[in-house]
Amino acid sequence: MGVLGRAPETKQFPNGVSVTNFSVATTEHWKDKTTGERKSATEWHRISTNNRLAEIVSQYLKKGSKVYIEGSFRTRKWKDQSSADREVT
């Protein structure tokens, strides 16, 4: 469960396929055992959907919308222009 950080971006391709990308923030809250202080950590996730789901996302979700995401992870690795290793999940 998370919150959209910005409006979804949809791209249409000539072959009829549509892809929608958006970012979701998830926040974890806990109480520090040593200090008793309440803490939290936010993590950002880049989500990509395609075809019919991409159309639904672009139609119903907007910045600030709460969303539940379920699916599979994929990790891609590449070298950028400065030959540094890059990775995205």
Side-chain angles (χ1 to χ4, degrees):
M1 187 73 163
V3 178
L4 263 69
R6 61 180 169 178
E9 298 175 2
T10 302
K11 295 180 184 176
Q12 296 281 359
F13 294 96
N15 62 358
V17 173
S18 59
V19 175
T20 299
N21 297 306
F22 56 99
S23 295
V24 175
T26 56
T27 304
E28 178 182 11
H29 302 281
W30 71 94
K31 189 174 185 179
D32 190 305
K33 291 181 181 180
T34 57
T35 65
E37 181 182 355
R38 223 169 130 65
K39 295 190 173 190
S40 65
T42 301
E43 190 165 333
W44 287 91
H45 313 275
R46 294 191 312 178
I47 310 296
S48 181
T49 60
N50 53 31
N51 299 324
R52 180 69 181 130
L53 186 55
E55 295 170 17
I56 293 168
V57 166
S58 65
Q59 183 178 0
Y60 292 105
L61 298 182
K62 61 181 182 184
K63 180 179 178 177
S65 296
K66 289 186 179 181
V67 62
Y68 172 80
I69 304 291
E70 186 175 305
S72 59
F73 287 105
R74 291 199 186 111
T75 300
R76 292 184 290 129
K77 296 180 181 183
W78 73 95
K79 290 192 182 286
D80 65 11
Q81 293 175 343
S82 63
S83 297
D85 290 333
R86 303 291 307 243
E87 182 176 314
V88 66
T89 300

